[in-house]
Amino acid sequence: AQQHWKGKATMTDTQALLTDLTSRVDSGDVEGGKTVLANLKIALLDADPTADATRQTATSALELGVLLSAADGDLDAFARNVAQLKPHYAALGTGAATPRKNHILGLNLMHLLVENRLSEFHSELELLTAAEASSPEISFPIHLERQLMVGSYDEVLAANSRVPHASYGLFMDHLLTTVRDNIADCLEVAYKTMSLDDAVTMMKFASRDELAAYVEECRDDWIVEGGNLCFAPPPAGRKADDIPSKKLIGQTLSYAAEFERIDCIYAAKGRNCCRLGFTWQCAGLVCNFSICRTYWVGPGDTVVI
């Protein structure tokens, strides 16, 4: 007999909670949205999991949860909601989509890019259809990853002004910090001093005050003198002169000579022999050792190397 799900929550209850959650996410009510989302997840535990309406409600709730955690800046909650959402997307099948699917997948790619989880980033790309990959929400992080790989930091910094949705701002802030750190590493190696205005331009700050705040927080070894920025000399690494090249060459030639001397030992007659340490002793016609080599010595003869 077919079993019917007996739960406390009805579809009317879950739909009402979903409508409330959607309203709070759209209005930016993060705290209220988190409360409603928790209640909705509990209500879904009492709903029939085999019903299409339940699966659709759960998918929409988790999508809104992803957007809510991005607005809240909670990357741990973001990762949990994405992990819970993936089975629902898999159940939809390849090419099937919800209205927010591309948006959610694009945010997940941004998250992987920010955390430098590039292997997972490319694994996610393999699961996309051509239509999904060409959507603005997903093509944006794909373009950013390509620019990062070739070192086009200006393009990455400029992309902050053309994000496909405001929810991308959390990840762009993290990414811009990483890019600015990379630019700063290059500046202090390439230059001894630089004007503050040039540093503001190269690091894409809006003002000197933003640059000063960055120096105070992240680069306390940089010195501001007048209108210039002085970089501390980079730590000295090992130079080519520090490598004992002549000694290494001599050792290598010595090893080569020893191997040549071993391989060039010959005698007049014989068949097989076994290597015992540095002694080669003839074993007659048959030898069971896997390291045997053939030298022309007589049975019972010994060659000491």
PDB file of all heavy atoms in Angstrom, residues 13-50:
ATOM      1  N   ASP A  13       1.577  26.542   4.426  1.00  0.00           N
ATOM      2  CA  ASP A  13       2.501  27.116   5.411  1.00  0.00           C
ATOM      3  C   ASP A  13       3.866  27.397   4.787  1.00  0.00           C
ATOM      4  O   ASP A  13       4.452  28.465   4.991  1.00  0.00           O
ATOM      5  CB  ASP A  13       2.663  26.162   6.593  1.00  0.00           C
ATOM      6  CG  ASP A  13       1.359  25.952   7.342  1.00  0.00           C
ATOM      7  OD1 ASP A  13       0.527  26.876   7.344  1.00  0.00           O
ATOM      8  OD2 ASP A  13       1.175  24.854   7.903  1.00  0.00           O
ATOM      9  N   THR A  14       4.406  26.412   4.066  1.00  0.00           N
ATOM     10  CA  THR A  14       5.737  26.592   3.476  1.00  0.00           C
ATOM     11  C   THR A  14       5.732  27.661   2.394  1.00  0.00           C
ATOM     12  O   THR A  14       6.689  28.438   2.270  1.00  0.00           O
ATOM     13  CB  THR A  14       6.239  25.261   2.891  1.00  0.00           C
ATOM     14  OG1 THR A  14       5.289  24.770   1.931  1.00  0.00           O
ATOM     15  CG2 THR A  14       6.432  24.224   3.985  1.00  0.00           C
ATOM     16  N   GLN A  15       4.660  27.738   1.619  1.00  0.00           N
ATOM     17  CA  GLN A  15       4.576  28.772   0.591  1.00  0.00           C
ATOM     18  C   GLN A  15       4.501  30.154   1.220  1.00  0.00           C
ATOM     19  O   GLN A  15       5.078  31.118   0.714  1.00  0.00           O
ATOM     20  CB  GLN A  15       3.361  28.529  -0.312  1.00  0.00           C
ATOM     21  CG  GLN A  15       3.520  27.373  -1.289  1.00  0.00           C
ATOM     22  CD  GLN A  15       4.656  27.607  -2.270  1.00  0.00           C
ATOM     23  OE1 GLN A  15       4.940  28.734  -2.670  1.00  0.00           O
ATOM     24  NE2 GLN A  15       5.309  26.519  -2.672  1.00  0.00           N
ATOM     25  N   ALA A  16       3.789  30.264   2.344  1.00  0.00           N
ATOM     26  CA  ALA A  16       3.705  31.554   3.030  1.00  0.00           C
ATOM     27  C   ALA A  16       5.077  31.973   3.558  1.00  0.00           C
ATOM     28  O   ALA A  16       5.475  33.149   3.453  1.00  0.00           O
ATOM     29  CB  ALA A  16       2.686  31.471   4.169  1.00  0.00           C
ATOM     30  N   LEU A  17       5.815  31.012   4.125  1.00  0.00           N
ATOM     31  CA  LEU A  17       7.155  31.316   4.612  1.00  0.00           C
ATOM     32  C   LEU A  17       8.092  31.686   3.457  1.00  0.00           C
ATOM     33  O   LEU A  17       8.937  32.587   3.587  1.00  0.00           O
ATOM     34  CB  LEU A  17       7.713  30.117   5.380  1.00  0.00           C
ATOM     35  CG  LEU A  17       7.101  29.850   6.756  1.00  0.00           C
ATOM     36  CD1 LEU A  17       7.581  28.508   7.302  1.00  0.00           C
ATOM     37  CD2 LEU A  17       7.459  30.972   7.727  1.00  0.00           C
ATOM     38  N   LEU A  18       7.955  30.986   2.323  1.00  0.00           N
ATOM     39  CA  LEU A  18       8.797  31.282   1.168  1.00  0.00           C
ATOM     40  C   LEU A  18       8.516  32.684   0.640  1.00  0.00           C
ATOM     41  O   LEU A  18       9.448  33.418   0.272  1.00  0.00           O
ATOM     42  CB  LEU A  18       8.567  30.240   0.073  1.00  0.00           C
ATOM     43  CG  LEU A  18       9.387  30.405  -1.204  1.00  0.00           C
ATOM     44  CD1 LEU A  18      10.876  30.314  -0.896  1.00  0.00           C
ATOM     45  CD2 LEU A  18       9.007  29.364  -2.242  1.00  0.00           C
ATOM     46  N   THR A  19       7.255  33.065   0.603  1.00  0.00           N
ATOM     47  CA  THR A  19       6.898  34.415   0.149  1.00  0.00           C
ATOM     48  C   THR A  19       7.485  35.464   1.088  1.00  0.00           C
ATOM     49  O   THR A  19       8.025  36.489   0.644  1.00  0.00           O
ATOM     50  CB  THR A  19       5.365  34.553   0.088  1.00  0.00           C
ATOM     51  OG1 THR A  19       4.845  33.578  -0.807  1.00  0.00           O
ATOM     52  CG2 THR A  19       4.970  35.944  -0.378  1.00  0.00           C
ATOM     53  N   ASP A  20       7.397  35.213   2.391  1.00  0.00           N
ATOM     54  CA  ASP A  20       7.965  36.130   3.380  1.00  0.00           C
ATOM     55  C   ASP A  20       9.481  36.225   3.225  1.00  0.00           C
ATOM     56  O   ASP A  20      10.064  37.316   3.288  1.00  0.00           O
ATOM     57  CB  ASP A  20       7.598  35.652   4.780  1.00  0.00           C
ATOM     58  CG  ASP A  20       7.959  36.664   5.867  1.00  0.00           C
ATOM     59  OD1 ASP A  20       8.251  37.830   5.512  1.00  0.00           O
ATOM     60  OD2 ASP A  20       7.949  36.283   7.049  1.00  0.00           O
ATOM     61  N   LEU A  21      10.123  35.073   3.007  1.00  0.00           N
ATOM     62  CA  LEU A  21      11.579  35.063   2.840  1.00  0.00           C
ATOM     63  C   LEU A  21      11.988  35.837   1.599  1.00  0.00           C
ATOM     64  O   LEU A  21      12.955  36.625   1.627  1.00  0.00           O
ATOM     65  CB  LEU A  21      12.074  33.614   2.758  1.00  0.00           C
ATOM     66  CG  LEU A  21      13.571  33.419   2.508  1.00  0.00           C
ATOM     67  CD1 LEU A  21      14.402  34.044   3.618  1.00  0.00           C
ATOM     68  CD2 LEU A  21      13.906  31.934   2.366  1.00  0.00           C
ATOM     69  N   THR A  22      11.271  35.638   0.500  1.00  0.00           N
ATOM     70  CA  THR A  22      11.581  36.357  -0.746  1.00  0.00           C
ATOM     71  C   THR A  22      11.465  37.863  -0.536  1.00  0.00           C
ATOM     72  O   THR A  22      12.321  38.648  -0.987  1.00  0.00           O
ATOM     73  CB  THR A  22      10.623  35.915  -1.864  1.00  0.00           C
ATOM     74  OG1 THR A  22      10.718  34.506  -2.035  1.00  0.00           O
ATOM     75  CG2 THR A  22      10.965  36.599  -3.172  1.00  0.00           C
ATOM     76  N   SER A  23      10.448  38.285   0.159  1.00  0.00           N
ATOM     77  CA  SER A  23      10.246  39.702   0.422  1.00  0.00           C
ATOM     78  C   SER A  23      11.378  40.283   1.257  1.00  0.00           C
ATOM     79  O   SER A  23      11.869  41.385   0.975  1.00  0.00           O
ATOM     80  CB  SER A  23       8.901  39.906   1.126  1.00  0.00           C
ATOM     81  OG  SER A  23       8.717  41.256   1.489  1.00  0.00           O
ATOM     82  N   ARG A  24      11.804  39.549   2.258  1.00  0.00           N
ATOM     83  CA  ARG A  24      12.872  40.050   3.133  1.00  0.00           C
ATOM     84  C   ARG A  24      14.219  40.096   2.413  1.00  0.00           C
ATOM     85  O   ARG A  24      15.023  41.013   2.636  1.00  0.00           O
ATOM     86  CB  ARG A  24      12.956  39.196   4.397  1.00  0.00           C
ATOM     87  CG  ARG A  24      11.737  39.341   5.302  1.00  0.00           C
ATOM     88  CD  ARG A  24      11.859  38.459   6.536  1.00  0.00           C
ATOM     89  NE  ARG A  24      10.669  38.519   7.376  1.00  0.00           N
ATOM     90  CZ  ARG A  24      10.428  39.452   8.298  1.00  0.00           C
ATOM     91  NH1 ARG A  24      11.341  40.405   8.507  1.00  0.00           N
ATOM     92  NH2 ARG A  24       9.328  39.424   9.018  1.00  0.00           N
ATOM     93  N   VAL A  25      14.481  39.117   1.566  1.00  0.00           N
ATOM     94  CA  VAL A  25      15.738  39.132   0.802  1.00  0.00           C
ATOM     95  C   VAL A  25      15.746  40.303  -0.180  1.00  0.00           C
ATOM     96  O   VAL A  25      16.747  41.018  -0.312  1.00  0.00           O
ATOM     97  CB  VAL A  25      15.937  37.794   0.071  1.00  0.00           C
ATOM     98  CG1 VAL A  25      17.111  37.880  -0.901  1.00  0.00           C
ATOM     99  CG2 VAL A  25      16.168  36.669   1.069  1.00  0.00           C
ATOM    100  N   ASP A  26      14.634  40.520  -0.856  1.00  0.00           N
ATOM    101  CA  ASP A  26      14.557  41.625  -1.818  1.00  0.00           C
ATOM    102  C   ASP A  26      14.673  42.982  -1.140  1.00  0.00           C
ATOM    103  O   ASP A  26      15.213  43.933  -1.723  1.00  0.00           O
ATOM    104  CB  ASP A  26      13.235  41.552  -2.599  1.00  0.00           C
ATOM    105  CG  ASP A  26      13.176  40.350  -3.533  1.00  0.00           C
ATOM    106  OD1 ASP A  26      14.253  39.806  -3.857  1.00  0.00           O
ATOM    107  OD2 ASP A  26      12.060  39.957  -3.927  1.00  0.00           O
ATOM    108  N   SER A  27      14.186  43.092   0.095  1.00  0.00           N
ATOM    109  CA  SER A  27      14.237  44.370   0.807  1.00  0.00           C
ATOM    110  C   SER A  27      15.533  44.567   1.582  1.00  0.00           C
ATOM    111  O   SER A  27      15.758  45.637   2.156  1.00  0.00           O
ATOM    112  CB  SER A  27      13.043  44.471   1.771  1.00  0.00           C
ATOM    113  OG  SER A  27      13.115  43.465   2.774  1.00  0.00           O
ATOM    114  N   GLY A  28      16.388  43.530   1.630  1.00  0.00           N
ATOM    115  CA  GLY A  28      17.658  43.647   2.343  1.00  0.00           C
ATOM    116  C   GLY A  28      17.567  43.419   3.829  1.00  0.00           C
ATOM    117  O   GLY A  28      18.486  43.785   4.576  1.00  0.00           O
ATOM    118  N   ASP A  29      16.472  42.831   4.304  1.00  0.00           N
ATOM    119  CA  ASP A  29      16.309  42.532   5.729  1.00  0.00           C
ATOM    120  C   ASP A  29      17.039  41.231   6.046  1.00  0.00           C
ATOM    121  O   ASP A  29      16.461  40.141   6.039  1.00  0.00           O
ATOM    122  CB  ASP A  29      14.816  42.427   6.063  1.00  0.00           C
ATOM    123  CG  ASP A  29      14.566  42.202   7.549  1.00  0.00           C
ATOM    124  OD1 ASP A  29      15.542  42.206   8.324  1.00  0.00           O
ATOM    125  OD2 ASP A  29      13.393  41.994   7.924  1.00  0.00           O
ATOM    126  N   VAL A  30      18.325  41.352   6.354  1.00  0.00           N
ATOM    127  CA  VAL A  30      19.162  40.171   6.540  1.00  0.00           C
ATOM    128  C   VAL A  30      18.776  39.406   7.797  1.00  0.00           C
ATOM    129  O   VAL A  30      18.561  38.180   7.759  1.00  0.00           O
ATOM    130  CB  VAL A  30      20.648  40.563   6.587  1.00  0.00           C
ATOM    131  CG1 VAL A  30      21.516  39.337   6.899  1.00  0.00           C
ATOM    132  CG2 VAL A  30      21.080  41.176   5.262  1.00  0.00           C
ATOM    133  N   GLU A  31      18.665  40.081   8.915  1.00  0.00           N
ATOM    134  CA  GLU A  31      18.370  39.402  10.176  1.00  0.00           C
ATOM    135  C   GLU A  31      16.990  38.748  10.143  1.00  0.00           C
ATOM    136  O   GLU A  31      16.809  37.611  10.580  1.00  0.00           O
ATOM    137  CB  GLU A  31      18.474  40.388  11.342  1.00  0.00           C
ATOM    138  CG  GLU A  31      19.888  40.883  11.595  1.00  0.00           C
ATOM    139  CD  GLU A  31      20.860  39.750  11.862  1.00  0.00           C
ATOM    140  OE1 GLU A  31      20.467  38.785  12.555  1.00  0.00           O
ATOM    141  OE2 GLU A  31      22.008  39.829  11.394  1.00  0.00           O
ATOM    142  N   GLY A  32      15.990  39.489   9.633  1.00  0.00           N
ATOM    143  CA  GLY A  32      14.663  38.897   9.531  1.00  0.00           C
ATOM    144  C   GLY A  32      14.633  37.736   8.566  1.00  0.00           C
ATOM    145  O   GLY A  32      13.949  36.729   8.801  1.00  0.00           O
ATOM    146  N   GLY A  33      15.387  37.851   7.473  1.00  0.00           N
ATOM    147  CA  GLY A  33      15.458  36.763   6.503  1.00  0.00           C
ATOM    148  C   GLY A  33      16.082  35.513   7.074  1.00  0.00           C
ATOM    149  O   GLY A  33      15.645  34.388   6.778  1.00  0.00           O
ATOM    150  N   LYS A  34      17.082  35.667   7.916  1.00  0.00           N
ATOM    151  CA  LYS A  34      17.728  34.500   8.528  1.00  0.00           C
ATOM    152  C   LYS A  34      16.758  33.756   9.448  1.00  0.00           C
ATOM    153  O   LYS A  34      16.740  32.525   9.476  1.00  0.00           O
ATOM    154  CB  LYS A  34      18.972  34.953   9.311  1.00  0.00           C
ATOM    155  CG  LYS A  34      20.107  35.403   8.423  1.00  0.00           C
ATOM    156  CD  LYS A  34      21.152  36.199   9.171  1.00  0.00           C
ATOM    157  CE  LYS A  34      21.877  35.390  10.192  1.00  0.00           C
ATOM    158  NZ  LYS A  34      22.967  36.179  10.858  1.00  0.00           N
ATOM    159  N   THR A  35      15.944  34.511  10.148  1.00  0.00           N
ATOM    160  CA  THR A  35      14.958  33.873  11.030  1.00  0.00           C
ATOM    161  C   THR A  35      13.909  33.108  10.219  1.00  0.00           C
ATOM    162  O   THR A  35      13.566  31.955  10.535  1.00  0.00           O
ATOM    163  CB  THR A  35      14.270  34.930  11.909  1.00  0.00           C
ATOM    164  OG1 THR A  35      15.256  35.616  12.690  1.00  0.00           O
ATOM    165  CG2 THR A  35      13.250  34.286  12.833  1.00  0.00           C
ATOM    166  N   VAL A  36      13.401  33.743   9.166  1.00  0.00           N
ATOM    167  CA  VAL A  36      12.387  33.097   8.330  1.00  0.00           C
ATOM    168  C   VAL A  36      12.968  31.870   7.629  1.00  0.00           C
ATOM    169  O   VAL A  36      12.305  30.831   7.508  1.00  0.00           O
ATOM    170  CB  VAL A  36      11.818  34.094   7.299  1.00  0.00           C
ATOM    171  CG1 VAL A  36      10.843  33.392   6.352  1.00  0.00           C
ATOM    172  CG2 VAL A  36      11.126  35.251   7.996  1.00  0.00           C
ATOM    173  N   LEU A  37      14.209  31.964   7.169  1.00  0.00           N
ATOM    174  CA  LEU A  37      14.850  30.833   6.498  1.00  0.00           C
ATOM    175  C   LEU A  37      14.971  29.638   7.438  1.00  0.00           C
ATOM    176  O   LEU A  37      14.712  28.490   7.038  1.00  0.00           O
ATOM    177  CB  LEU A  37      16.231  31.238   5.977  1.00  0.00           C
ATOM    178  CG  LEU A  37      17.055  30.140   5.313  1.00  0.00           C
ATOM    179  CD1 LEU A  37      16.348  29.607   4.076  1.00  0.00           C
ATOM    180  CD2 LEU A  37      18.458  30.654   4.938  1.00  0.00           C
ATOM    181  N   ALA A  38      15.354  29.887   8.686  1.00  0.00           N
ATOM    182  CA  ALA A  38      15.464  28.794   9.651  1.00  0.00           C
ATOM    183  C   ALA A  38      14.104  28.140   9.884  1.00  0.00           C
ATOM    184  O   ALA A  38      13.990  26.902   9.936  1.00  0.00           O
ATOM    185  CB  ALA A  38      16.029  29.323  10.966  1.00  0.00           C
ATOM    186  N   ASN A  39      13.065  28.952  10.000  1.00  0.00           N
ATOM    187  CA  ASN A  39      11.721  28.401  10.196  1.00  0.00           C
ATOM    188  C   ASN A  39      11.255  27.613   8.974  1.00  0.00           C
ATOM    189  O   ASN A  39      10.601  26.568   9.103  1.00  0.00           O
ATOM    190  CB  ASN A  39      10.730  29.523  10.496  1.00  0.00           C
ATOM    191  CG  ASN A  39      10.988  30.173  11.843  1.00  0.00           C
ATOM    192  OD1 ASN A  39      11.539  29.544  12.752  1.00  0.00           O
ATOM    193  ND2 ASN A  39      10.606  31.441  11.982  1.00  0.00           N
ATOM    194  N   LEU A  40      11.617  28.112   7.790  1.00  0.00           N
ATOM    195  CA  LEU A  40      11.205  27.425   6.562  1.00  0.00           C
ATOM    196  C   LEU A  40      11.901  26.078   6.429  1.00  0.00           C
ATOM    197  O   LEU A  40      11.292  25.079   6.018  1.00  0.00           O
ATOM    198  CB  LEU A  40      11.497  28.312   5.350  1.00  0.00           C
ATOM    199  CG  LEU A  40      11.150  27.736   3.970  1.00  0.00           C
ATOM    200  CD1 LEU A  40       9.695  27.277   3.926  1.00  0.00           C
ATOM    201  CD2 LEU A  40      11.425  28.773   2.882  1.00  0.00           C
ATOM    202  N   LYS A  41      13.153  25.997   6.782  1.00  0.00           N
ATOM    203  CA  LYS A  41      13.878  24.728   6.718  1.00  0.00           C
ATOM    204  C   LYS A  41      13.279  23.712   7.687  1.00  0.00           C
ATOM    205  O   LYS A  41      13.166  22.513   7.364  1.00  0.00           O
ATOM    206  CB  LYS A  41      15.366  24.941   7.028  1.00  0.00           C
ATOM    207  CG  LYS A  41      16.139  25.613   5.911  1.00  0.00           C
ATOM    208  CD  LYS A  41      17.617  25.718   6.254  1.00  0.00           C
ATOM    209  CE  LYS A  41      18.416  26.314   5.101  1.00  0.00           C
ATOM    210  NZ  LYS A  41      19.863  26.402   5.407  1.00  0.00           N
ATOM    211  N   ILE A  42      12.882  24.182   8.855  1.00  0.00           N
ATOM    212  CA  ILE A  42      12.238  23.281   9.823  1.00  0.00           C
ATOM    213  C   ILE A  42      10.891  22.808   9.296  1.00  0.00           C
ATOM    214  O   ILE A  42      10.528  21.627   9.412  1.00  0.00           O
ATOM    215  CB  ILE A  42      12.087  23.996  11.180  1.00  0.00           C
ATOM    216  CG1 ILE A  42      13.468  24.277  11.786  1.00  0.00           C
ATOM    217  CG2 ILE A  42      11.247  23.158  12.135  1.00  0.00           C
ATOM    218  CD1 ILE A  42      13.422  25.114  13.047  1.00  0.00           C
ATOM    219  N   ALA A  43      10.133  23.729   8.681  1.00  0.00           N
ATOM    220  CA  ALA A  43       8.822  23.364   8.138  1.00  0.00           C
ATOM    221  C   ALA A  43       8.951  22.351   7.014  1.00  0.00           C
ATOM    222  O   ALA A  43       8.114  21.446   6.874  1.00  0.00           O
ATOM    223  CB  ALA A  43       8.100  24.618   7.650  1.00  0.00           C
ATOM    224  N   LEU A  44      10.008  22.460   6.218  1.00  0.00           N
ATOM    225  CA  LEU A  44      10.198  21.529   5.102  1.00  0.00           C
ATOM    226  C   LEU A  44      10.506  20.117   5.586  1.00  0.00           C
ATOM    227  O   LEU A  44      10.310  19.147   4.850  1.00  0.00           O
ATOM    228  CB  LEU A  44      11.320  22.037   4.190  1.00  0.00           C
ATOM    229  CG  LEU A  44      10.963  23.240   3.303  1.00  0.00           C
ATOM    230  CD1 LEU A  44      12.203  23.788   2.628  1.00  0.00           C
ATOM    231  CD2 LEU A  44       9.924  22.835   2.256  1.00  0.00           C
ATOM    232  N   LEU A  45      10.982  19.988   6.827  1.00  0.00           N
ATOM    233  CA  LEU A  45      11.229  18.655   7.369  1.00  0.00           C
ATOM    234  C   LEU A  45       9.929  17.891   7.572  1.00  0.00           C
ATOM    235  O   LEU A  45       9.917  16.651   7.589  1.00  0.00           O
ATOM    236  CB  LEU A  45      11.984  18.768   8.701  1.00  0.00           C
ATOM    237  CG  LEU A  45      13.415  19.321   8.635  1.00  0.00           C
ATOM    238  CD1 LEU A  45      13.983  19.453  10.042  1.00  0.00           C
ATOM    239  CD2 LEU A  45      14.304  18.436   7.790  1.00  0.00           C
ATOM    240  N   ASP A  46       8.834  18.626   7.730  1.00  0.00           N
ATOM    241  CA  ASP A  46       7.535  17.992   7.940  1.00  0.00           C
ATOM    242  C   ASP A  46       6.740  17.844   6.648  1.00  0.00           C
ATOM    243  O   ASP A  46       5.632  17.303   6.668  1.00  0.00           O
ATOM    244  CB  ASP A  46       6.712  18.808   8.949  1.00  0.00           C
ATOM    245  CG  ASP A  46       7.322  18.795  10.337  1.00  0.00           C
ATOM    246  OD1 ASP A  46       7.920  17.760  10.694  1.00  0.00           O
ATOM    247  OD2 ASP A  46       7.219  19.810  11.041  1.00  0.00           O
ATOM    248  N   ALA A  47       7.293  18.339   5.535  1.00  0.00           N
ATOM    249  CA  ALA A  47       6.584  18.254   4.255  1.00  0.00           C
ATOM    250  C   ALA A  47       6.936  16.954   3.547  1.00  0.00           C
ATOM    251  O   ALA A  47       7.930  16.286   3.874  1.00  0.00           O
ATOM    252  CB  ALA A  47       6.930  19.456   3.385  1.00  0.00           C
ATOM    253  N   ASP A  48       6.135  16.588   2.581  1.00  0.00           N
ATOM    254  CA  ASP A  48       6.353  15.364   1.803  1.00  0.00           C
ATOM    255  C   ASP A  48       7.562  15.553   0.878  1.00  0.00           C
ATOM    256  O   ASP A  48       7.505  16.338  -0.061  1.00  0.00           O
ATOM    257  CB  ASP A  48       5.101  15.057   0.983  1.00  0.00           C
ATOM    258  CG  ASP A  48       5.236  13.744   0.213  1.00  0.00           C
ATOM    259  OD1 ASP A  48       6.312  13.115   0.302  1.00  0.00           O
ATOM    260  OD2 ASP A  48       4.269  13.365  -0.471  1.00  0.00           O
ATOM    261  N   PRO A  49       8.678  14.864   1.128  1.00  0.00           N
ATOM    262  CA  PRO A  49       9.884  15.085   0.317  1.00  0.00           C
ATOM    263  C   PRO A  49       9.762  14.573  -1.111  1.00  0.00           C
ATOM    264  O   PRO A  49      10.580  14.924  -1.963  1.00  0.00           O
ATOM    265  CB  PRO A  49      10.966  14.319   1.084  1.00  0.00           C
ATOM    266  CG  PRO A  49      10.225  13.242   1.802  1.00  0.00           C
ATOM    267  CD  PRO A  49       8.891  13.841   2.175  1.00  0.00           C
ATOM    268  N   THR A  50       8.754  13.740  -1.387  1.00  0.00           N
ATOM    269  CA  THR A  50       8.603  13.202  -2.744  1.00  0.00           C
ATOM    270  C   THR A  50       7.752  14.098  -3.639  1.00  0.00           C
ATOM    271  O   THR A  50       7.687  13.869  -4.837  1.00  0.00           O
ATOM    272  CB  THR A  50       7.954  11.810  -2.676  1.00  0.00           C
ATOM    273  OG1 THR A  50       6.633  11.923  -2.111  1.00  0.00           O
ATOM    274  CG2 THR A  50       8.787  10.869  -1.811  1.00  0.00           C
TER     275      THR A  50
END
